[in-house]
Amino acid sequence: MRAILSVFVICFLLSCQSQKSVIKPNVATLNTQPKLVVGVVVDQMRYDYLTRFYNKYGEGGFRRLMSQGFNCKNNHFNYVPTYTGPGHASIFSGTTPKTHGIISNNWYDKVSDSYVYCAGDTTVQSVGTTNKAGQMSPHRLKTTSFADENRLFTQMRGKTIGISVKDRGAILPAGHTANAAYWFHGADEGRFITSTYYLETLPSWVKAFNDTGAAESYLKEWNTLYDINTYTESGSDLNAFEGGFKGKETATFPYDLKALSKTNRGYDIIKATPYGNSIVADFAIAALDGEQLGQDNITDVLTVSFSSTDYVGHNFGVNSKEVEDTYIRLDKDIERLLNALDAKVGKGNYTLFLSSDHGAVEVPSYLESVKVPSGYFNNDAFKKTLNETIISNYKAESFIKNISNNQVFLDREVIKGYGLNLIEVQQALVDVIIGYPQVYKAYTASSMTNAEFSRGVEHLLQNGFNQKRSGDVLYVLDPAVISYSKTGSTHGSALNYDTHVPLLFFGKAINTGSTLQHTTIPDIAPTMSALLGISFPNGASGKPLEFVLEN
Ligand SMILES: [Zn+2]
């Protein structure tokens, strides 16, 4: 019986195969589909990193994408907060936190009365480590990504793989139906891992990669790639605006990463150096073979997020030599990735886009030193003032549940208990908050749901406002005012330094050229859907960028 059955199965498989060769699936007839779409995100990459460091880049990396592809020079986020989780979700789902629900990296969850992490999922287990770092999935993402739509369109025959050193940078782009997302677990392990959401065990190519000791090889000296005196596009190496590593007195080159790893969480230190990008490029190149990406006519999707740029920016700031060196080295890693794609998938057989999940502000203490208005916002003092005001105005215990991500969450039960009207309380708080120094604007949740804002910061707030998940009162700080340490850069605002990021398209079915037309992050996914001839992500609000596409 078993023999007959297996003969039958073989015949069936053969007939399927011959059928496949006779009747070409519809997907091959449009002739615009690349074999592989590569979505590259560079974490915390401001638009001006393309132009400021242009003369330091080689011909095969960023400059190749700019000269042979299409450069959208006026590309912006159209929502706040401009953080990593929302950024990755928006790029690949073609919409904003209002719809996809990833309102921050971490947020106060009204239902469970606790903080949740955008990719955290305790219902799944780690794969490749016993550490909890693998308990991650995209379950908080409400909408599909274009990679999901490609999976649905191709009857799950087109693959999706997501890669990053950050879990959320690998998981959110790849979407719900991904074959796998892999991210880097540092600590004392230095390995790429995943979760049971995708796989029960690591594939042999991932185990083999981890066994090569790649992480160990990057625990080496970090010095500037070229003579530091030629780095004229950044400030002096020694200044008062940089953090640095524990165990080294000054934030100056060179850095002995092997020695510093002991005081900076082991292999995690790699993430905070350009070598975090290099190991991601190594792993992505290994994935081309390991996952057989772009090897047939059914489009696969590979997402690669380079996150070390963000760690370096947070630590050393926008104007640092460390950031400049990180981009010079990333340019080389991107060149390596492009060369590998040329060799393994073939020139003209793949389409790549590159963007960022948010920009970054110049270090405010540096801006102050050159007379640009800026500053630091003290969250604790703000919270204290707000609580005291409520207690004295209402003669009631404070009904603030939580203040985070520039939003105030109220305890609606307590407000009800005092017989107060929620909307009136929200408005009263707005009136108090707007009087607070360094606050530029404040809005109630009701105004976000009852009015339609089409421009300005209100528009960005509204696109970032999710009625189920966001707070009761939203406030906006003055330009270049941040809640952060006095060293290093951060991000999150609706201002151009955070919203203006690169958007480059390159490869199959992409025009050569550039535009200064205003484009937005949610335009990326519909553009890729249009190129593939597939459904738009189910919540997409952006528009396909016609001028980018050849046909
Ligand atoms: Zn960041």
Side-chain angles (χ1 to χ4, degrees), residues 145-426:
S145 70
F146 78 81
D148 285 324
E149 296 299 336
N150 183 59
R151 294 274 288 154
L152 293 166
F153 186 85
T154 62
Q155 304 304 319
M156 303 291 154
R157 285 178 293 196
K159 266 192 159 184
T160 308
I161 298 292
I163 294 167
S164 178
V165 296
K166 282 185 185 172
D167 47 51
R168 60 188 181 278
I171 290 165
L172 297 172
H176 304 279
T177 58
N179 299 77
Y182 302 107
W183 55 96
F184 184 76
H185 172 54
D188 56 351
E189 297 186 57
R191 305 161 57 82
F192 280 88
I193 61 167
T194 186
S195 86
T196 53
Y197 178 81
Y198 305 99
L199 299 166
E200 291 303 318
T201 54
L202 286 180
S204 53
W205 76 267
V206 177
K207 283 184 193 155
F209 182 93
N210 286 334
D211 289 345
T212 58
E216 183 69 37
S217 75
Y218 285 118
L219 284 182
K220 57 181 180 180
E221 185 183 79
W222 175 23
N223 207 341
T224 52
L225 184 65
Y226 306 126
D227 179 355
I228 196 164
N229 296 312
T230 66
Y231 284 30
T232 50
E233 298 80 6
S234 44
S236 60
D237 194 21
L238 182 62
N239 61 65
F241 317 119
E242 302 183 10
F245 294 111
K246 264 186 216 150
K248 187 175 192 306
E249 211 161 305
T250 58
T252 50
F253 285 107
Y255 298 97
D256 177 352
L257 301 183
K258 181 91 185 160
L260 289 170
S261 69
K262 295 177 184 79
T263 44
N264 293 271
R265 301 184 318 279
Y267 289 108
D268 277 320
I269 196 171
I270 295 169
K271 296 199 258 183
T273 74
Y275 303 138
N277 294 327
S278 300
I279 201 169
V280 162
D282 298 342
F283 191 79
I285 291 166
L288 295 178
D289 285 332
E291 302 283 351
Q292 288 289 294
L293 297 173
Q295 296 306 307
D296 58 29
N297 285 328
I298 302 170
T299 305
D300 297 322
V301 177
L302 170 66
T303 73
V304 183
S305 180
F306 292 108
S307 317
S308 294
T309 39
D310 183 63
Y311 292 105
V312 176
H314 278 292
N315 194 355
F316 299 97
V318 165
N319 205 42
S320 62
K321 293 266 184 270
E322 285 80 357
V323 161
E324 177 164 2
D325 190 64
T326 298
Y327 277 89
I328 290 170
R329 289 174 182 274
L330 174 61
D331 184 56
K332 302 277 176 244
D333 287 322
I334 287 173
E335 179 172 351
R336 277 199 303 130
L337 179 61
L338 291 173
N339 290 342
L341 288 165
D342 289 346
K344 291 173 197 291
V345 183
K347 271 187 190 174
N349 286 334
Y350 64 93
T351 305
L352 180 146
F353 69 81
L354 181 147
S355 192
S356 177
D357 55 347
H358 53 75
V361 67
E362 292 263 15
V363 179
S365 53
Y366 166 66
L367 290 177
E368 270 168 28
S369 76
V370 292
K371 304 181 193 169
V372 177
S374 57
Y376 293 91
F377 188 77
N378 186 331
N379 271 329
D380 293 336
F382 174 70
K383 202 172 173 175
K384 195 164 169 270
T385 305
L386 219 53
N387 277 317
E388 285 169 2
T389 310
I390 288 172
I391 292 165
S392 78
N393 286 4
Y394 292 96
K395 310 281 177 266
E397 67 175 286
S398 182
F399 37 68
I400 292 175
K401 270 251 171 184
N402 178 275
I403 302 178
S404 54
N405 298 308
N406 291 1
Q407 300 184 5
V408 182
F409 293 80
L410 300 175
D411 190 329
R412 297 180 177 201
E413 287 306 307
V414 172
I415 289 171
K416 221 184 196 169
Y418 281 113
L420 297 167
N421 176 300
L422 177 67
I423 293 175
E424 284 170 17
V425 171
Q426 287 180 351

